Amino acid sequence: MSTLAPLRLLREPWNASEGNQSNATVGASGGWCQGLDIPNELFLALGLVSLVENLLVVAAILKNRNLHSPTYYFICCLAVSDMLVSISNLAEMLFMLLLEHGVLVMRPSIVRHMDSVIDMLICSSVVSSLSFLGVIAIDRYITIFYALRYHSIMTLQRAVVTMASIWLASTVSSAVLITYYRSNTILLCLIGFFLFMLVLMLVLYIHMFAMARHHLHSISSQQKPPTAHRGGSLKAAVTLTILLGVFFICWGPFFFHLILIVTCPTNPFCTCFFSYFNLFLILIICNSVIDPLIYAFRSQELRRTLREVVTCSW
């Protein structure tokens, strides 16, 4: 178990007395409650893969003028959010290796400050990733239901203001979380934000798919071929639904971890769950590895541009 793991402040419950926590750990120490010993090399390898993949996505969007639209700018920001996870993981691993091999000698207070910076990066990634997933869902909703007014509703200026606001809010909220991490109120706000965004995106996607199904049924009854616009919008909705599902699977255990910290810090089952914290971190990093693969697989234009970037066809 790494000594400077990201979000180490949330690894163990603080709202339990030392004696009760110790007793609960002893009572739940059998079998599967031992947790997993995940090597640092795995964290390092996944971080490198994620960093390279998301850099390619950002480079492809910046390179291709056909991708210079609010939707792809939001996807670019989501890729940057995933890069924050990779950067924090790589920074942690390199920092630990330098300390362990005596190459870097620092006072404990400076080490704690460095660890807090790493924690802020990954906390900022949590908030920004959720926010951009929600914004992309809203953008797709406008594309489908207000197609003729899309360019007047989602202007470039509004997109820039939205992106800047999300990054500012993510930075401030992560600083507040790290500063007041012992407050259950702060954790409840983060959990509430997670649940709110999930409900919002589920409602939007259900409505989009219901409309798409009705539209396809109408076309089939009239024996008309589907329009390219509707087909493209439906494909985009499917892509974003996959992204939402992957995000929920990868981040869900971590947020469940936060819920257990608030609700049952001394319960034996909860104590067992806490011991798998490193596995939850691996899932978080896997999310940033999977997202770029979904972009490349679902978008033909982005896939083509990625090939050009890889082959340096500028």
Side-chain angles (χ1 to χ4, degrees), residues 55-85:
L55 278 174
L56 288 175
V57 170
V58 173
I61 293 175
L62 295 178
K63 175 183 184 296
N64 191 338
R65 290 186 176 275
N66 293 331
L67 302 178
H68 290 184
S69 65
T71 298
Y72 281 101
Y73 285 149
F74 294 145
I75 291 177
C76 182
C77 287
L78 184 59
V80 174
S81 296
D82 289 337
M83 285 171 56
L84 288 179
V85 177

Side-chain angles (χ1 to χ4, degrees), residues 12-26:
E12 301 291 347
W14 58 84
N15 49 352
S17 64
E18 187 173 337
N20 290 337
Q21 185 175 334
S22 177
N23 292 335
T25 304
V26 172

Side-chain angles (χ1 to χ4, degrees), residues 6-314:
L7 295 178
R8 62 172 176 77
L9 301 175
L10 303 177
R11 179 186 300 276
E12 301 291 347
W14 58 84
N15 49 352
S17 64
E18 187 173 337
N20 290 337
Q21 185 175 334
S22 177
N23 292 335
T25 304
V26 172
S29 59
W32 66 279
C33 296
Q34 299 298 322
L36 293 177
D37 185 17
I38 299 177
N40 291 336
E41 290 77 10
L42 181 58
F43 283 97
L44 185 61
L46 288 175
L48 284 171
V49 172
S50 172
L51 181 61
V52 172
E53 286 182 347
N54 285 286
L55 278 174
L56 288 175
V57 170
V58 173
I61 293 175
L62 295 178
K63 175 183 184 296
N64 191 338
R65 290 186 176 275
N66 293 331
L67 302 178
H68 290 184
S69 65
T71 298
Y72 281 101
Y73 285 149
F74 294 145
I75 291 177
C76 182
C77 287
L78 184 59
V80 174
S81 296
D82 289 337
M83 285 171 56
L84 288 179
V85 177
S86 307
I87 293 172
S88 64
N89 176 64
L90 292 174
E92 176 209 0
M93 290 297 106
L94 294 175
F95 194 52
M96 287 178 55
L97 290 174
L98 291 176
L99 288 175
E100 290 174 358
H101 290 81
V103 178
L104 187 64
V105 179
M106 304 177 70
R107 291 180 298 178
S109 60
I110 298 179
V111 173
R112 286 193 297 271
H113 286 309
M114 291 293 295
D115 201 15
S116 295
V117 171
I118 294 173
D119 289 340
M120 282 189 62
L121 283 175
I122 198 168
C123 287
S124 179
S125 174
V126 175
V127 178
S128 59
S129 294
L130 270 175
S131 300
F132 283 115
L133 278 172
V135 169
I136 292 171
I138 294 173
D139 178 78
R140 289 294 86 196
Y141 186 87
I142 297 173
T143 301
I144 292 177
F145 288 94
Y146 302 95
L148 299 179
R149 297 172 51 199
Y150 174 80
H151 293 291
S152 62
I153 296 174
M154 187 59 69
T155 63
L156 182 58
Q157 182 179 4
R158 288 176 179 172
V160 170
V161 171
T162 300
M163 290 184 289
S165 300
I166 289 176
W167 285 119
L168 178 61
S170 301
T171 304
V172 173
S173 59
S174 63
V176 172
L177 176 61
I178 297 303
T179 303
Y180 301 102
Y181 73 96
R182 292 183 180 273
S183 171
N184 281 347
T185 303
I186 296 297
L187 288 186
L188 288 173
C189 289
L190 183 59
I191 295 169
F193 178 66
F194 176 75
L195 295 176
F196 170 77
M197 295 305 297
L198 279 180
V199 171
L200 172 65
M201 287 183 277
L202 284 174
V203 170
L204 292 178
Y205 289 138
I206 290 173
H207 194 191
M208 281 190 281
F209 280 116
M211 188 280 300
R213 183 178 179 182
H214 174 74
H215 181 72
L216 292 176
H217 178 73
S218 300
I219 291 175
S220 61
S221 63
Q222 299 174 12
Q223 297 183 346
K224 293 181 180 180
T227 63
H229 170 74
R230 292 295 185 181
S233 298
L234 179 60
K235 183 177 180 180
V238 172
T239 299
L240 297 173
T241 303
I242 295 174
L243 287 173
L244 174 62
V246 170
F247 186 90
F248 180 78
I249 293 173
C250 294
W251 282 99
F254 169 72
F255 277 93
F256 188 56
H257 176 95
L258 298 187
I259 293 174
L260 296 185
I261 286 180
V262 175
T263 58
C264 59
T266 61
N267 183 277
F269 169 79
C270 299
T271 306
C272 285
F273 197 81
F274 296 149
S275 65
Y276 286 84
F277 188 80
N278 273 359
L279 176 60
F280 309 152
L281 296 182
I282 286 290
L283 289 175
I284 291 173
I285 299 173
C286 285
N287 178 76
S288 62
V289 173
I290 295 172
D291 280 354
L293 299 179
I294 298 175
Y295 306 149
F297 181 76
R298 300 292 301 180
S299 173
Q300 182 178 0
E301 184 76 14
L302 184 54
R303 188 166 60 247
R304 179 182 63 81
T305 309
L306 282 172
R307 284 198 296 266
E308 294 177 358
V309 171
V310 171
T311 58
C312 299
S313 302
W314 295 84

